[in-house]
Amino acid sequence: RGTAMHHVMQYISFAEKVDVETEIERLLEWKFITKQEANSIDVAAISAFFESNVYQRIMQSDEVRREMRFLTEIPAVEIDNTLDLLPDDASVIVQGAVDLCFVEDDGIVVLDFKTDRVDNLKELISTYGEQLEIYSTAAEKIFGLPVKEKIIYSFHLGDSISF
């Protein structure tokens, strides 16, 4: 289900007004998603995202990237501070994909979509905060701009948290 939600968010049209059901039909017809994925989508949860303040900010941006793939080198101690026994210049190659990032006047915003069934948004920061730090490092290298904010959007809670 989480993969299906991510596929829809990767390919759905970002427009002023988004009809999620029509978009899911289009993605199915064009084979961006499978019938099984289409049937597992929480239409209400995705619709809530398109009504959110986060989405309004995205629509104001001149530069938005979805599923931005990266391969970057990061100091090993930034990945795991218990690796401090390694030489100071030891690094790790990290590969991943940022769900969405967009540029505002004063920097980049990195957004990660989550489908976890959690009770509160702070649980998501404790679970995924380090992941977003890595995404931020990669985004700064790609854009040449600072990351000013990291956002986790919870489809389960229909809300987001920034840090």
Side-chain angles (χ1 to χ4, degrees), residues 2-72:
T3 301
M5 295 286 280
H6 275 81
H7 280 159
V8 169
M9 294 310 296
Q10 179 179 357
Y11 297 115
I12 196 167
S13 176
F14 277 28
E16 194 67 34
K17 196 76 172 149
V18 179
D19 180 335
V20 175
E21 289 181 348
T22 300
E23 277 296 295
I24 289 171
E25 289 172 18
R26 179 185 67 84
L27 296 177
L28 179 61
E29 180 182 332
W30 290 4
K31 300 189 186 319
F32 284 105
I33 61 174
T34 66
K35 182 75 171 165
Q36 183 178 7
E37 287 176 320
N39 291 336
S40 71
I41 298 302
D42 184 341
V43 173
I46 292 178
S47 296
F49 169 75
F50 287 110
E51 298 297 323
S52 71
N53 290 335
V54 172
Y55 183 66
Q56 297 310 313
R57 288 174 62 190
I58 293 167
M59 291 303 292
Q60 299 301 311
S61 177
D62 291 331
E63 187 164 3
V64 178
R65 295 196 194 173
R66 292 190 271 174
E67 283 299 310
M68 183 179 75
R69 303 211 176 276
F70 66 87
L71 179 70
T72 190

Side-chain angles (χ1 to χ4, degrees), residues 58-156:
I58 293 167
M59 291 303 292
Q60 299 301 311
S61 177
D62 291 331
E63 187 164 3
V64 178
R65 295 196 194 173
R66 292 190 271 174
E67 283 299 310
M68 183 179 75
R69 303 211 176 276
F70 66 87
L71 179 70
T72 190
E73 187 174 14
I74 296 177
V77 294
E78 286 184 27
I79 302 294
D80 184 346
N81 61 10
T82 64
L83 298 176
D84 59 356
L85 299 176
L86 293 174
D88 289 344
D89 62 348
S91 61
V92 176
I93 302 294
V94 179
Q95 176 178 313
V98 178
D99 288 341
L100 190 146
C101 57
F102 58 99
V103 177
E104 292 184 327
D105 290 339
D106 52 346
I108 305 164
V109 178
V110 173
L111 173 63
D112 199 39
F113 297 117
K114 296 299 178 192
T115 57
D116 303 42
R117 296 192 179 276
V118 294
D119 294 326
N120 67 68
L121 292 166
K122 290 184 180 178
E123 288 180 56
L124 295 173
I125 290 179
S126 65
T127 304
Y128 298 107
E130 287 182 35
Q131 176 185 352
L132 265 72
E133 291 297 335
I134 293 169
Y135 288 178
S136 296
T137 299
E140 287 178 345
K141 288 179 181 180
I142 291 167
F143 285 96
L145 296 169
V147 168
K148 69 173 213 163
E149 184 178 6
K150 295 170 281 299
I151 300 173
I152 297 175
Y153 184 86
S154 167
F155 285 112
H156 176 68

